[in-house]
C-alpha cells in the first residue's frame, strides 16, 4: 500500500494503500455524520464478526441505539490492522505496524478521534530535508520543496521537466480525481473506462513517459485497476495535513473496545454462518470448544482472504464468492529499527525518504523525546511480497541493506529490529483491498450488498478502502442497514 502523492506544493508523499480521498462522503455533509443512530422498531440481536474498526464502529453505534450486540473476534485483541508496536522498544518509543496516517479530510475517523478525546499531531516533521532515492541516486530537498528532477538518471521529456512532479501528477490524474470526489454513485460512469486499464496504461494515455510513471511512484500498483488507484489517491488528495494519534493509533480501537467491554468475545474465530427464515447463527470455536450464537442480523467485517475460509449456508452469491477468491490484497510490510542515536540529524535530514527500491523510510519517533530513535522501512508491492517470503532474520538483513543505501550508518546503530508482514497475518491475508483491472465494476457494489440477514462491512467494502476512514464508514453504513432492516 502506498502510492506516492504529489501535494499542491509539489512535494512527494507516499500514502499507504492503507490509504487517500476528497472531502465528499457519499454527498453527506459532516453534520450528518455526527448524528446518533436512532433505533427503528424493537431492539435487534446483532452478531458482529470481527473487532477491527469496522466491527467496533458498527457495534458501538448499534449499542448506542439500544440493540443487543455481540462481537466475535478471532484474536486476543481488538483493532485488526491498526496495530502499534511498543514492547520491547525502549524509552517509551512506539511505532505503527499498520494504519499510520490520518488525513485531515477523513471525517469518519476524525468524528471518533474527537468524540474519544484523542489528540493528534502531524505525521511528518516540519524540519530537516526529505530524501528521494531513485536508481541509486539520493536527492534531498527542503521541507515542502520538490526534488530536483534533473539530478535523477531518468529520461524526462522537456515538457515533463518544465511541469515538475506536481505538474506531472496533475496531468496524470487531476481530471480523474475531480470526478472521483463525488462518490454518490460508484463506480462513476465518467471513469468506467479507467477500470479497464492498468495505472501505467492510464498514465501513458495522458501523454506521460515511463520516466514520469517511475518518478510518480506508481510501480506498486502493477496490475491494479487505474480506477482503483484513482480512488485510493483521491481519498487524501485534498487533505492539507496528515496526522497521527498521540501515543499510538491503536488508542482509537482501544477507545471503542473499552466502551464495549462486555460485548466482545475474544479468541473466537467464526467458521460457519447459517441463515434461517427468522435469523442467523454463527458457529465459532473458543478454547477448543465449538459454540454457537444466534441473532436477528449479522454483520460480517472480515477481509476477503478470511471470508473465503468461512462456510455459509446458504452459500454466498456466486459474485461475492468470486470476489473473496479473486480480489488481490496489496502487500505491505514494515520493518522497525530502534537505533541508539538519530544519526541522520547530523546531516540535516528528516529521516523520511521516498525510494524506488522498497517504498518509504520513516523516522517514526521524530516527535518523541530522547536520544534514541526509530527508522521504519515501509515495504510496498513487489518488495513486500519478496520480503514476506523470507525468514525473519533474512528480512531484517535485507531491510538493513536497503536502508543503508539511503541513510548509510544504520547497521552500527541498531539496538533492536523486528518486522510485520501483513501477507503473513492469518486474519488479514494482506494489507488492503487492491482490485485489478475490471474488478471494481464487477465486485465493488457486490462486496457490500446484504444477503438475507447478513450484512457486510470492512474497508474492502468502502470507496475509502485502505484507510481507517473506510473501515469506520463501512461499519457505520452496516449499522444503519441493520437498524432499518
Amino acid at each position: 500500500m502506498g502510492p506516492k502523492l504529489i501535494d499542491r506544493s509539489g512535494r512527494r508523499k507516499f500514502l499507504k494503500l492503507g490509504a487517500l480521498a476528497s472531502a465528499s462522503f457519499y454527498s453527506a455533509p459532516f453534520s450528518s455524520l455526527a448524528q446518533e443512530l436512532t433505533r427503528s422498531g424493537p431492539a435487534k440481536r446483532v452478531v458482529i464478526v470481527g473487532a477491527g474498526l469496522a466491527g467496533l464502529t458498527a457495534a458501538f453505534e448499534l449499542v448506542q441505539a439500544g440493540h443487543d450486540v455481540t462481537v466475535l473476534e478471532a484474536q486476543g485483541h481488538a483493532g485488526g490492522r491498526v496495530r502499534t508496536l511498543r514492547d520491547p522498544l525502549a524509552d517509551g518509543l512506539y511505532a505503527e505496524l499498520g494504519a499510520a496516517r490520518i488525513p485531515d479530510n477523513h471525517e469518519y475517523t476524525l468524528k471518533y478521534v474527537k468524540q474519544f478525546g484523542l489528540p493528534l499531531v502531524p505525521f511528518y516533521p516540519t524540519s530537516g530535508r526529505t530524501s528521494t532515492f531513485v536508481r541509486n541516486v539520493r536527492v534531498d530537498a527542503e521541507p515542502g520543496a520538490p526534488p530536483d528532477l534533473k539530478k535523477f538518471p531518468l529520461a524526462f521529456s522537456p515538457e515533463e521537466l518544465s511541469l515538475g512532479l506536481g505538474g506531472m501528477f496533475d496531468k496524470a490524474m487531476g481530471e480523474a480525481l475531480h470526478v472521483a470526489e463525488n462518490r454518490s454513485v460508484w463506480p462513476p460512469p465518467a471513469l468506467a473506462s479507467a477500470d479497464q486499464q492498468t495505472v501505467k496504461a492510464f498514465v501513458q494515455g495522458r501523454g506521460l513517459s515511463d520516466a514520469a510513471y517511475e518518478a510518480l511512484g506508481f510501480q506498486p500498483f502493477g496490475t491494479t485497476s487505474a480506477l482503483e488507484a484513482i480512488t485510493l489517491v483521491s481519498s487524501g488528495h485534498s487533505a492539507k495535513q496528515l496526522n497521527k494519534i498521540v501515543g499510538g493509533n491503536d488508542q482509537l480501537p482501544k477507545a471503542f473496545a473499552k466502551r464495549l467491554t462486555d460485548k466482545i468475545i475474544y479468541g473466537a474465530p467464526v467458521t460457519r454462518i447459517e441463515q434461517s427464515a427468522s435469523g442467523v447463527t454463527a458457529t465459532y470455536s473458543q478454547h477448543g470448544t465449538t459454540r454457537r450464537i444466534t441473532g436477528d442480523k449479522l454483520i460480517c467485517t472480515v477481509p476477503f482472504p478470511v471470508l473465503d475460509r468461512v462456510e455459509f449456508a446458504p452459500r454466498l452469491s456466486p459474485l461475492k464468492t468470486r470476489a473473496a477468491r479473486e480480489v488481490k490484497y496489496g502487500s505491505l510490510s514494515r520493518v522497525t529499527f530502534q537505533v541508539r542515536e538519530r544519526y541522520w540529524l547530523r546531516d540535516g535530514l528528516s529521516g523520511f525518504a521516498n525510494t524506488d527500491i522498497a517504498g518509504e523510510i520513516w523516522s517514526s519517533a521524530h516527535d518523541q523525546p530522547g536520544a534514541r530513535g526509530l527508522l521504519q522501512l515501509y515495504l510496498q508491492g513487489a518488495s513486500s511480497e519478496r520480503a514476506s517470503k523470507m525468514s525473519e532474520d533474512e528480512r531484517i538483513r535485507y531491510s538493513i541493506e536497503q536502508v543503508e543505501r539511503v541513510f548509510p550508518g544504520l547497521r552500527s546503530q541498531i539496538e533492536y529490529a523486528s518486522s510485520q508482514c501483513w501477507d503473513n497475518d492469518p486474519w488479514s491475508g494482506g494489507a488492503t483491498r487492491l482490485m485489478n483491472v475490471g474488478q471494481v465494476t464487477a465486485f465493488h457494489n457486490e462486496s457490500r450488498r446484504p444477503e438475507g440477514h447478513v450484512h457486510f462491512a470492512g474497508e474492502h467494502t468502502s470507496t475509502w478502502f485502505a484507510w481507517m476512514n473506510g473501515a469506520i464508514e463501512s461499519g457505520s453504513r452496516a449499522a444503519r442497514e441493520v437498524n432499518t432492516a
Side-chain angles (χ1 to χ4, degrees), residues 182-237:
N182 184 351
R183 303 189 178 188
S184 57
V185 175
W186 204 261
L191 292 178
S193 63
D195 192 35
Q196 306 305 317
Q197 302 176 66
T198 63
V199 178
K200 187 170 187 178
F202 184 85
V203 170
Q204 291 175 332
R206 301 292 299 162
L208 293 169
S209 68
D210 288 349
Y213 173 80
E214 184 174 343
L216 290 171
F218 291 139
Q219 300 95 314
F221 284 122
T223 58
T224 302
S225 157
L227 176 56
E228 187 87 331
I230 290 164
T231 310
L232 176 60
V233 173
S234 76
S235 295
H237 180 61

Side-chain angles (χ1 to χ4, degrees), residues 338-352:
Q338 177 183 295
V339 294
R340 63 176 55 90
E341 177 192 358
R342 305 177 192 190
Y343 64 93
W344 52 90
L345 296 178
R346 297 196 299 258
D347 297 323
L349 302 175
S350 68
F352 282 80

Side-chain angles (χ1 to χ4, degrees), residues 1-3 16-19 81 195 199 218-233 304-305 326-332 380-382 385 430-437 439-440 443 459-460 465-466:
M1 295 172 190
K16 170 180 169 215
L17 279 187
R81 283 161 283 173
D195 192 35
V199 178
F218 291 139
Q219 300 95 314
F221 284 122
T223 58
T224 302
S225 157
L227 176 56
E228 187 87 331
I230 290 164
T231 310
L232 176 60
V233 173
F304 277 144
E326 296 177 17
V327 170
K328 178 183 177 183
Y329 266 43
S331 182
L332 294 177
Q380 305 164 3
E385 291 175 0
T432 176
R433 155 190 147 177
L434 200 58
M435 292 186 176
N436 282 338
V437 170
Q439 290 185 335
V440 179
F443 297 140
E459 57 83 23
H460 59 287
F465 61 90

Side-chain angles (χ1 to χ4, degrees), residues 471-483:
I472 295 171
E473 180 274 328
S474 72
S476 183
R477 169 191 49 79
R480 292 176 187 277
E481 290 174 357
V482 166
N483 185 61

Side-chain angles (χ1 to χ4, degrees), residues 122-277:
F123 183 84
Y124 291 99
T126 56
S127 62
R129 298 192 304 279
T130 299
S131 304
T132 303
F133 188 86
V134 176
R135 296 196 183 184
N136 293 315
V137 174
R138 191 187 85 190
V139 177
D140 303 326
E142 296 300 323
D148 185 351
L149 296 182
K150 294 179 181 178
K151 293 183 178 181
F152 294 116
L154 295 172
F156 295 109
S157 70
E159 180 196 10
E160 290 167 347
L161 288 173
S162 176
L163 286 172
L165 280 173
M168 286 191 288
F169 178 80
D170 288 341
K171 182 173 181 177
M173 285 196 167
E175 293 180 13
L177 294 178
H178 178 71
V179 174
E181 289 180 356
N182 184 351
R183 303 189 178 188
S184 57
V185 175
W186 204 261
L191 292 178
S193 63
D195 192 35
Q196 306 305 317
Q197 302 176 66
T198 63
V199 178
K200 187 170 187 178
F202 184 85
V203 170
Q204 291 175 332
R206 301 292 299 162
L208 293 169
S209 68
D210 288 349
Y213 173 80
E214 184 174 343
L216 290 171
F218 291 139
Q219 300 95 314
F221 284 122
T223 58
T224 302
S225 157
L227 176 56
E228 187 87 331
I230 290 164
T231 310
L232 176 60
V233 173
S234 76
S235 295
H237 180 61
S238 62
K240 295 179 175 61
Q241 181 167 285
L242 298 176
N243 298 307
K244 59 183 179 179
I245 296 173
V246 174
N249 286 348
D250 67 352
Q251 301 302 304
L252 180 55
K254 284 181 176 180
F256 276 113
K258 181 180 179 180
R259 291 159 175 81
L260 297 166
T261 302
D262 60 339
K263 306 293 184 183
I264 305 175
I265 302 175
Y266 292 104
V270 171
T271 57
R272 178 179 169 87
I273 295 172
E274 183 175 359
Q275 298 195 60
S276 66

Side-chain angles (χ1 to χ4, degrees), residues 1-2 16 18 330-333 378-380 384 420-423 431:
M1 295 172 190
K16 170 180 169 215
S331 182
L332 294 177
S333 302
Y378 184 12
L379 298 162
Q380 305 164 3
S384 174
Q420 170 68 38
C421 298
W422 289 103
D423 288 9

